[in-house]
Structures are given as C-alpha cells and as structure tokens.
C-alpha cells in the first residue's frame, strides 16, 4: 500500500521556556509550522481565560452575538509562544501554518464548580465552554 507523500506538523506543547528555541525546533523539523505552547503555559489557563463568572453570563452571550472577537484575544502573558511565532511569521512567508485550541470536553472536565463537579456536566456551562472554544480559532485567524 502506497501512502503517497506525507507532511509533518505537531501539537502545540513543547518542553521549552524560550519561544525562539521552540520555534527553531519546529521550523527545522516540520513541513507545516505551528505555534508552540511553552512548558510554563497551561492549556487550561490559556483556553479558560474568556469564560465568564456567573454574574457575567449575559454579557458573555452579548459578546458572542455581537461578534466581539476582542473578548477572545489571547493575552500575551498566557501565549508567549504564539506571539513570538506571529512576530516571526510576519517577517517570513511560511505559507501554511497550524494553530490549535483545546477541546471543550478536555477543558470542561478540568474546570470544576464550587462542589467539585466538572462544569461540562452542567448544561449552561457546557454551552458557554463550547461557545468560548469555538470563538477562539476565529481570533487566531484574524
């Protein structure tokens, strides 16, 4: 069975603190470069930042309905690998790049309510988590 030409990319997580080290490894070894998630960057912190508190749920949905992508703009301090990659990408014409987000089930089982119950098991929180996760790639594309 012939598979044809395969191309390589990777997942975000790398064991580096220095974004330049991570990016150099990616550029040297992957056909499709991707932005690195650095060792100290928790994916749970990265993707839960736009979630509302219980008192902000209405404004969260208003932001979704009104297309306020700025609510989902990645904070530089949580996404150092992404921002450094973007700086380099703007200087180099790489063509195709790969971005990533975590899935709503992964995030939703990690996040707990005050009683220790996973938020994904609550119908309201499940919808909020899914909406937040779906909005984040839109910001990445911008």
């Amino acid at each position: 069975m012939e598979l044809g030409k395969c191309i390589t990319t990777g997942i975000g997580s790398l064991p580096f603190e220095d974004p330049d080290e991570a990016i150099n490894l990616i550029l040297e070894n992957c056909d499709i470069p991707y932005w690195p998630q650095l060792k100290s960057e928790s994916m749970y912190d990265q993707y839960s930042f736009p979630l509302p508190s219980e008192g902000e749920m209405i404004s969260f949905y208003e932001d979704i309905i009104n297309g306020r992508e700025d609510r989902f703009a990645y904070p530089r301090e949580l996404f150092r690998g992404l921002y450094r990659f973007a700086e380099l990408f703007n200087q180099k014409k790489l063509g195709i790049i790969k971005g990533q987000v975590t899935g709503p089930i992964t995030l939703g089982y990690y996040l707990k309510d005050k009683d220790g119950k996973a938020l994904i098991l609550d119908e309201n929180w499940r919808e909020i988590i899914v909406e937040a996760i779906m909005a984040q790639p839109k910001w990445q594309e911008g």
Side-chain angles (χ1 to χ4, degrees):
M1 170 191 266
E2 187 171 322
L3 295 176
K5 184 174 190 271
C6 296
I7 55 176
T8 59
T9 191
I11 59 170
S13 303
L14 290 173
F16 296 102
E17 285 302 328
D18 179 1
D20 288 324
E21 279 186 85
I23 291 165
N24 286 336
L25 178 82
I26 292 165
L27 294 176
E28 291 171 5
N29 293 285
C30 294
D31 299 311
I32 300 175
Y34 60 96
W35 61 265
Q37 179 187 53
L38 303 176
K39 185 177 177 181
S40 63
E41 296 176 336
S42 161
M43 75 173 180
Y44 302 112
D45 292 341
Q46 286 179 318
Y47 298 109
S48 65
F49 79 89
L51 296 177
S53 66
E54 290 196 32
E56 299 173 321
M57 290 182 177
I58 291 173
S59 68
F60 175 84
Y61 281 112
E62 288 172 345
D63 290 345
I64 294 285
I65 290 167
N66 294 319
R68 279 202 54 226
E69 290 180 12
D70 59 320
R71 179 187 188 107
F72 303 97
Y74 290 164
R76 187 173 286 274
E77 65 274 8
L78 295 177
F79 290 86
R80 292 182 313 117
L82 169 63
Y83 279 95
R84 182 63 179 138
F85 185 84
E87 290 168 6
L88 294 174
F89 178 68
N90 288 334
Q91 296 170 6
K92 299 177 182 183
K93 301 297 181 203
L94 297 176
I96 299 172
I97 61 169
K98 178 193 160 282
Q100 61 264 342
V101 297
T102 193
I105 292 174
T106 300
L107 184 61
Y109 270 106
Y110 175 79
L111 299 172
K112 309 281 194 264
D113 67 12
K114 62 181 174 15
D115 298 322
K117 181 179 170 188
L119 290 185
I120 198 78
L121 301 175
D122 178 282
E123 183 178 336
N124 294 321
W125 277 112
R126 182 172 47 249
E127 183 176 337
I128 288 170
I129 291 167
V130 168
E131 290 290 339
I133 294 295
M134 288 189 326
Q136 292 181 40
K138 294 175 187 174
W139 182 85
Q140 282 189 45
E141 289 177 354

